[in-house]
Amino acid sequence: MASVPKIKTYHFLPYKYGSELLLDIGRIETLKNYVLDHTVHQLSFYEIIFINTGSGTISLDENKIPIHPQTIVFTSPGQVRRWEIEEEVKGYTLFFEKDFLHLFFSDELFLYRFQYFHQYSHPAAMQIGEPSFGKCKALLQEIEQEFEQIQNDSNHLIRSFLYQLLILLNRYYAEIYKVQRDTYVHADFYRFRSLLEKRFLQDQTVEAYTKMLNVSSGFLNKICRQFSGLSAQQMIHQKLISEIKKQLHQNKSAKEICYAFGFSDPSNFNRFFKKFTHTTPQQYRKNIK
């Protein structure tokens, strides 16, 4: 079998401004070698892209997102993506390491409180109206201005602007996709999301997660439905399907994926995939363009 080309990974540059700063902002049109890289690549940090003008698509894992003015795209660490640009894209990109917020909020679950990051049951993008987009741009411009004259306390001011922006985006996202916007649902829900990101290969049953969280399956299902609209088992299945599709996009064979994901044999794996996608892994890979 032909070797799979290694996917390029972009890492954050914390000392770009001298002292350590775990957030950066840029204009899309000036960062072509990074933001508009037309090859398949991934990021080791979080990024939010705000598109003012342009057209084309951005593929994020297995999903193709159309680019239009006032589109916002959310990339979580490790997601594989590729740009296909038809008309020059202009706008802002905001990227940061999770520790930029963790150091401030002392809450390791903070970024799991937002609906748009680590999302696999709803789109990782949204298109919003002009007034809402204008509010986001005003906060981005405040951040941009602070970067133009970095001072000792700039990171505190930038965090406060970012915090406002993340909350606003969560409200817009929740409204568009009709999901729960409350960022203070029971903490066990965020712990479950966090554990699922890290342990989906080893643990694929609700019972495994209830033991780790020390809660009942009834309680876990209740809080999962409250915030995501899905049961705990549905969330596990959605995560698995999303990751399997990602592997198929990376040209891995169905057999390789089957055993890596802990399925007992290829027929079980095929049945599982077909149940949720109505196609076999082999057919799905053939249809990847």
Side-chain angles (χ1 to χ4, degrees):
M1 189 178 159
S3 64
V4 179
K6 193 165 166 55
I7 291 171
K8 187 192 301 179
T9 302
Y10 286 99
H11 296 284
F12 196 86
L13 302 172
Y15 298 101
K16 181 177 164 184
Y17 299 94
S19 58
E20 185 180 67
L21 188 56
L22 300 177
L23 177 140
D24 204 353
I25 190 169
R27 299 283 178 124
I28 293 171
E29 55 272 28
T30 67
L31 295 170
K32 287 194 173 91
N33 290 338
Y34 151 58
V35 182
L36 301 181
D37 181 347
H38 65 276
T39 61
V40 174
H41 62 279
Q42 61 185 352
L43 312 178
S44 66
F45 46 87
Y46 291 89
E47 180 176 47
I48 309 175
I49 296 163
F50 299 82
I51 293 163
N52 275 333
T53 59
S55 65
T57 60
I58 176 169
S59 300
L60 203 53
D61 292 338
E62 74 282 3
N63 302 306
K64 266 198 172 180
I65 298 161
I67 292 166
H68 301 293
Q70 292 152 224
T71 298
I72 299 171
V73 182
F74 305 95
T75 304
S76 302
Q79 285 189 295
V80 176
R81 67 183 201 182
R82 184 160 78 94
W83 292 83
E84 291 177 60
I85 301 305
E86 290 163 17
E87 206 178 303
E88 189 186 11
V89 175
K90 293 185 176 181
Y92 284 96
T93 174
L94 189 66
F95 36 105
F96 56 93
E97 290 275 18
K98 66 180 187 300
D99 285 349
F100 182 70
L101 288 162
H102 287 181
L103 293 168
F104 186 57
F105 291 107
S106 305
D107 178 1
E108 63 178 37
L109 301 170
F110 185 76
L111 286 162
Y112 291 93
R113 295 184 185 278
F114 300 109
Q115 287 279 18
Y116 40 77
F117 287 132
H118 303 290
Q119 177 59 257
Y120 33 84
S121 52
H122 293 96
M126 62 181 174
Q127 193 176 12
I128 58 177
E130 212 163 313
S132 302
F133 197 77
K135 281 186 183 177
C136 294
K137 266 175 72 174
L139 286 164
L140 290 165
Q141 283 157 1
E142 293 277 13
I143 294 171
E144 192 177 40
Q145 281 167 24
E146 198 58 31
F147 269 95
E148 284 165 8
Q149 43 176 13
I150 292 277
Q151 297 171 47
N152 286 339
D153 57 1
S154 288
N155 59 350
H156 294 294
L157 202 51
I158 290 166
R159 272 193 197 99
S160 70
F161 293 136
L162 177 62
Y163 185 48
Q164 288 179 69
L165 188 59
L166 294 174
I167 296 289
L168 267 184
L169 290 170
N170 199 56
R171 287 181 178 183
Y172 299 152
Y173 189 95
E175 178 64 30
I176 287 168
Y177 295 112
K178 306 293 179 230
V179 288
Q180 170 69 253
R181 79 180 197 186
D182 183 4
T183 56
Y184 285 89
V185 172
H186 201 287
D188 283 328
F189 174 76
Y190 305 115
R191 289 194 190 98
F192 173 55
R193 279 187 88 184
S194 173
L195 285 167
L196 186 52
E197 286 295 314
K198 296 174 187 121
R199 301 195 57 86
F200 68 90
L201 281 177
Q202 306 99 300
D203 299 299
Q204 295 166 9
T205 65
V206 174
E207 186 188 16
Y209 291 97
T210 56
K211 278 184 181 167
M212 284 183 260
L213 294 165
N214 196 25
V215 298
S216 70
S217 58
F219 176 76
L220 184 59
N221 277 317
K222 181 184 163 191
I223 58 175
C224 285
R225 285 202 173 94
Q226 182 188 351
F227 195 63
S228 73
L230 303 171
S231 69
Q233 191 65 68
Q234 284 171 321
M235 283 184 70
I236 294 167
H237 287 160
Q238 290 271 11
K239 175 65 181 169
L240 283 170
I241 291 295
S242 174
E243 291 292 331
I244 291 165
K245 285 178 174 178
K246 187 168 158 181
Q247 297 288 313
L248 290 167
H249 273 260
Q250 292 178 37
N251 211 23
K252 299 270 177 72
S253 74
K255 195 173 177 182
E256 266 183 287
I257 302 166
C258 160
Y259 293 117
F261 279 62
F263 288 89
S264 55
D265 60 65
S267 61
N268 270 346
F269 173 65
N270 284 352
R271 267 197 304 275
F272 175 80
F273 190 81
K274 195 168 183 179
K275 180 181 172 185
F276 294 98
T277 63
H278 310 294
T279 184
T280 67
Q282 294 82 351
Q283 287 164 338
Y284 181 84
R285 197 170 58 175
K286 269 184 201 161
N287 292 330
I288 293 169
K289 291 186 174 68

